[in-house]
Amino acid sequence: MTVTGGSEVYGVIGYPVSHSLSPVFQNAAFSYLGIKAVYVPFEVKPEDLKTALEGLRKAGVKGLNVTIPHKEAVLEFADTLSDEVKAIGASNTLVLSEEGISAYNTDWIGFLRAVEEIVDLSKKKVLLLGAGGSARAVSYALKLRNCEVYIWNRTRSKAEELAKKFSFETVSSPEEALGFVDIIVNTTSVGLKGDDVLFNYDLIEPRHVVVDLIYRDTPLIRSAKEKGCLFQNGFPMLVYQGAESFRIWTGCEPPVKVMKLSLKDFGYPTDSPRTPSRT
Ligand code: ATR
């Protein structure tokens, strides 16, 4: 990658942000298409968000991804919100210009593009684990596909609030829905570190499709593999949400294969989700 005067600057704001893999695949995409641009991580504390956004905009930064913990807070500082941002209540993509800041959300479409690589979501019955920011984007996507969604969340009131918003159901335990759902989606942070589990994973059946938004092989994903289920960890969604941000910023078709390939050394899944043990 060559960075010269005249290169456009993009980035990701979060706290912490050093672990972010977005610079890896966004820079790979810029390089591949010969776009003179560079993508960098910006660590911004919550109390500095307003100042940082204004400073980055005034310094000529063209676009930003937004990650934890700023996805909801940025709405307050944006001049325009897309319809999806209004519906989801969170933004992961900002366009900065002399006119101001426009907020978009690509998490929902990233989820659809990723998961629809392995399964047709249309009208499926889904157990949604979690009711935070990611769950809201996933709910928006599942609603578009007319899915029947059953939400479980540790804090029941948040599950009920989300279910009400999208006309979904809630369940008092994940086990309650396992018998009749086709797809299990984990949007909680459980499994990110260590061996924490959300329910007894022995109850997962080979017919379940298991999706985890965490981009490592969590205990949930490992159990799905052992059962011979179709499964997907969070890497494909990470790439597709970023690919859609890239499209908004540049107007170019994102080179998704290049983006995926750039993450191979960081654990992007190279094994087929269709495990041979599935019968
Ligand atoms: P994100 O933007 O990634 O969705 P978030 O909005 O902070 O992050 O949501 C985190 C989700 O993980 C929530 O559903 C949270 O449950 P609560 O609403 O009860 O807090 C869930 N979560 C985090 N730690 C958890 C744990 N130890 N057990 C179960 N759920 C957990």
Side-chain angles (χ1 to χ4, degrees), residues 68 130-134 153-155 158 187-190 198:
I68 290 169
S134 310
N153 192 52
R154 178 179 60 180
T155 311
K158 281 173 69 185
T187 70
T188 77
S189 49
V190 172
L198 287 160

Side-chain angles (χ1 to χ4, degrees), residues 5 15 32 54 79-80 102 126 132 148 169-170 173 190 221 242 247 251 269:
Y15 188 78
Y32 179 77
E54 206 41 33
D79 301 288
T80 60
S102 304
V126 180
E148 214 176 278
E169 303 287 326
T170 59
S173 71
V190 172
I221 289 290
R247 193 196 299 280

Side-chain angles (χ1 to χ4, degrees), residues 29-91:
F30 286 137
S31 278
Y32 179 77
L33 294 181
I35 297 173
K36 275 175 65 175
V38 61
Y39 184 107
V40 286
F42 296 110
E43 189 156 277
V44 176
K45 293 194 177 111
E47 61 267 32
D48 297 331
L49 183 61
K50 185 177 195 269
T51 326
L53 284 174
E54 206 41 33
L56 291 168
R57 187 181 76 82
K58 291 213 167 124
V61 171
K62 299 286 183 216
L64 292 170
N65 279 128
V66 183
T67 188
I68 290 169
H70 304 312
K71 284 187 180 190
E72 282 110 31
V74 289
L75 269 60
E76 194 188 328
F77 308 117
D79 301 288
T80 60
L81 308 177
S82 72
D83 290 346
E84 290 88 2
V85 168
K86 287 180 196 158
I88 294 166
S91 166

Side-chain angles (χ1 to χ4, degrees), residues 41-176:
F42 296 110
E43 189 156 277
V44 176
K45 293 194 177 111
E47 61 267 32
D48 297 331
L49 183 61
K50 185 177 195 269
T51 326
L53 284 174
E54 206 41 33
L56 291 168
R57 187 181 76 82
K58 291 213 167 124
V61 171
K62 299 286 183 216
L64 292 170
N65 279 128
V66 183
T67 188
I68 290 169
H70 304 312
K71 284 187 180 190
E72 282 110 31
V74 289
L75 269 60
E76 194 188 328
F77 308 117
D79 301 288
T80 60
L81 308 177
S82 72
D83 290 346
E84 290 88 2
V85 168
K86 287 180 196 158
I88 294 166
S91 166
N92 71 323
T93 307
L94 301 176
V95 173
L96 279 51
S97 69
E98 288 194 357
E99 286 76 51
I101 297 176
S102 304
Y104 299 84
N105 189 300
T106 65
D107 283 331
W108 67 275
I109 192 170
F111 174 81
L112 286 183
R113 290 202 192 284
V115 176
E116 288 181 342
E117 278 190 342
I118 63 163
V119 66
D120 173 13
L121 284 170
S122 182
K123 295 186 178 162
K124 290 290 192 310
K125 294 189 176 72
V126 180
L127 169 61
L128 179 61
L129 302 165
S134 310
R136 288 209 302 274
V138 169
S139 293
Y140 181 83
L142 295 173
K143 190 75 193 172
L144 279 182
R145 292 292 185 264
N146 297 310
C147 291
E148 214 176 278
V149 180
Y150 298 85
I151 307 176
W152 174 83
N153 192 52
R154 178 179 60 180
T155 311
R156 180 82 193 249
S157 58
K158 281 173 69 185
E160 276 161 5
E161 204 179 304
L162 184 58
K164 196 171 162 210
K165 185 170 173 174
F166 289 96
S167 306
F168 294 154
E169 303 287 326
T170 59
V171 284
S172 50
S173 71
E175 287 87 344
E176 198 183 317

Side-chain angles (χ1 to χ4, degrees), residues 2-9 36-38:
T2 317
V3 184
T4 57
S7 289
E8 289 187 335
V9 180
K36 275 175 65 175
V38 61

